[in-house]
Amino acid sequence: MLRIAVQSKGRLFDDTMALLSEADIKISTSKRTLLTQASNFPVEVLFLRDDDIPQTIASGVADIGIVGENEFVERNEKADIIYRLGFSKCRLSLAIHKEENYQGLSWFNGKKIATSYPGILRNFLERNGIQADIHVITGSVEIAPGIGLADAIFDIVSSGSTLISNNLKEVEVVMKSEAVLIGYPGLSPEKKTILDELLFRIEAVKAAEDKKYVLMNAPTDKLQEIIEVLPGVKSPTIMPLATEGWSSVHTVLDQKCFWEIIGKLKALGAQGILVIPIEKMIL
Ligand SMILES: Nc1ncnc2c1ncn2[C@@H]1O[C@H](COP(=O)(O)OP(=O)(O)OP(=O)(O)O)[C@@H](O)[C@H]1O
Ligand SMILES: O=P(O)(O)OC[C@H]1O[C@H](OP(=O)(O)OP(=O)(O)O)[C@H](O)[C@@H]1O
Ligand SMILES: [Mg+2]
């Protein structure tokens, strides 16, 4: 049995549970127990505050965990990043009052900075030879300058709207973060086998993300041009239609370039274009 530590509630919870579910691992979260066993896969899930996840892995209490990279780096515990999961993307930044005239890092010399990430901040300031006073608070960091608690803040930024509503501006991005799968460095061969199977499933889910299976009818005399605009995983599947002069084309398209390509296909005479989500993809 592989034990995985996940956040019990908060920003990571929904995407973490969705990922496990898409990997066809059935976990009941309705009972609100701290530890739950999957019904169809040899894993048990331990629900914790995200702060405690790195230490739980390093001490071997859980084998793997899903946590924000920012939290993992801050805790500085002995564990490895096994897989970058691509959700909960954010950055850790320094921000100051929007009216301040900022010309560089030396602005922070002698200043007081409020943060929940003192380890990462201290490291950054030392690397850059800045002497500042770090004031640790666990939440509502953005209000610290407004109430005279600090001159600046170092906190999570995503859209930047929390900064704007507190009259702050982001002046330095110190690290970028996303959810990561971390693991205990010394897993037994049995647990390693389960982890490999889990990773295989996660990779199949991730590979299918933002991909669409696209089918269309195309005039056979335009096939060559149509194939040239398709950047599918491999070459498209072409099948003749019952109607003379028409073919069916099947391919996989990336969401990012989807509308641009569909436009080109239509211009080349493609019709009856069907777009189907893909659940998993094994490359
Ligand atoms: N606005 C955001 N956009 C994207 N990702 C975010 C955002 N805020 C936080 N995160 C990421 O999600 C992680 C968890 O955030 P959350 O706010 O749930 O933490 P928390 O309040 O410390 O939770 P817990 O109660 O488990 O200690 C953060 O460490 C960060 O990696
Ligand atoms: O740049 P933004 O998109 O505004 O996101 C940044 C904010 O998001 C997080 O807080 P959250 O919304 O989770 O609230 P809380 O930590 O106060 O509960 C984080 O602590 C920042 O305050
Ligand atoms: Mg926390």
Side-chain angles (χ1 to χ4, degrees):
M1 186 78 72
L2 190 73
R3 185 179 287 173
I4 172 167
V6 306
Q7 194 191 25
S8 53
K9 54 181 187 315
R11 291 247 177 203
L12 298 164
F13 178 79
D14 289 344
D15 286 336
T16 299
M17 297 322 284
L19 177 68
L20 294 175
S21 157
E22 283 159 18
D24 296 317
I25 295 167
K26 289 205 176 76
I27 296 139
S28 150
T29 51
S30 58
K31 280 181 264 149
R32 282 260 149 247
T33 47
L34 190 64
L35 189 65
T36 308
Q37 203 171 315
S39 59
N40 61 349
F41 194 78
V43 298
E44 53 184 3
V45 181
L46 182 59
F47 295 98
L48 298 175
R49 288 218 33 203
D50 68 347
D51 313 52
D52 300 327
I53 293 176
Q55 182 197 35
T56 307
I57 308 303
S59 62
V61 171
D63 304 306
I64 58 170
I66 293 177
V67 70
E69 196 177 353
N70 51 319
E71 204 61 51
F72 174 59
V73 174
E74 175 63 27
R75 300 287 149 184
N76 197 20
E77 294 281 358
K78 206 173 154 20
D80 304 317
I81 292 184
I82 301 173
Y83 194 84
R84 311 183 72 82
L85 293 161
F87 57 83
S88 293
K89 283 195 172 164
C90 58
R91 50 197 189 272
L92 278 181
S93 296
L94 281 161
I96 62 175
H97 192 271
K98 66 174 182 197
E99 240 90 86
E100 287 287 339
N101 173 23
Y102 184 77
Q103 299 200 317
L105 269 179
S106 59
W107 185 92
F108 289 97
N109 271 317
K111 296 287 198 310
K112 191 170 175 184
I113 311 171
T115 187
S116 314
Y117 297 94
I120 297 172
L121 178 59
R122 191 170 301 115
N123 198 296
F124 175 79
L125 295 175
E126 271 173 24
R127 266 195 339 259
N128 288 283
I130 304 292
Q131 308 266 337
D133 180 15
I134 300 176
H135 182 77
V136 182
I137 45 177
T138 54
S140 306
V141 175
E142 288 93 345
I143 63 160
I147 56 170
L149 201 63
D151 305 301
I153 65 148
F154 176 62
D155 199 22
I156 292 169
V157 182
S158 176
S159 66
S161 60
T162 310
L163 291 184
I164 291 170
S165 56
N166 286 284
N167 296 318
L168 299 170
K169 63 177 175 187
E170 185 177 11
V171 291
E172 301 284 343
V173 176
V174 172
M175 83 169 274
K176 294 210 170 136
S177 175
E178 64 187 271
V180 288
L181 182 74
I182 58 170
Y184 180 66
L187 284 187
S188 68
E190 293 77 15
K191 287 187 173 177
K192 183 79 179 46
T193 306
I194 305 170
L195 174 59
D196 287 344
E197 170 64 24
L198 177 65
L199 280 175
F200 178 71
R201 293 187 185 198
I202 290 176
E203 277 166 16
V205 170
K206 287 281 153 197
E209 231 171 50
D210 302 326
K211 297 279 197 309
K212 302 286 176 205
Y213 191 77
V214 179
L215 302 88
M216 75 204 85
N217 295 333
T220 306
D221 60 357
K222 286 278 194 277
L223 275 180
Q224 203 44 49
E225 286 166 84
I226 284 180
I227 290 168
E228 274 161 26
V229 301
L230 292 177
V233 247
K234 271 223 169 103
S235 66
T237 307
I238 314 277
M239 282 176 286
L241 288 186
T243 312
E244 184 80 20
W246 284 86
S247 300
S248 171
V249 180
H250 297 203
T251 193
V252 173
L253 287 186
D254 205 297
Q255 186 80 49
K256 281 195 272 301
C257 50
F258 179 78
W259 289 110
E260 188 195 331
I261 290 169
I262 292 292
K264 289 183 186 163
L265 295 172
K266 268 183 72 76
L268 287 167
Q271 295 178 357
I273 303 172
L274 301 183
V275 182
I276 301 164
I278 301 173
E279 200 178 294
K280 294 176 186 74
M281 222 161 99
I282 291 131
L283 296 168

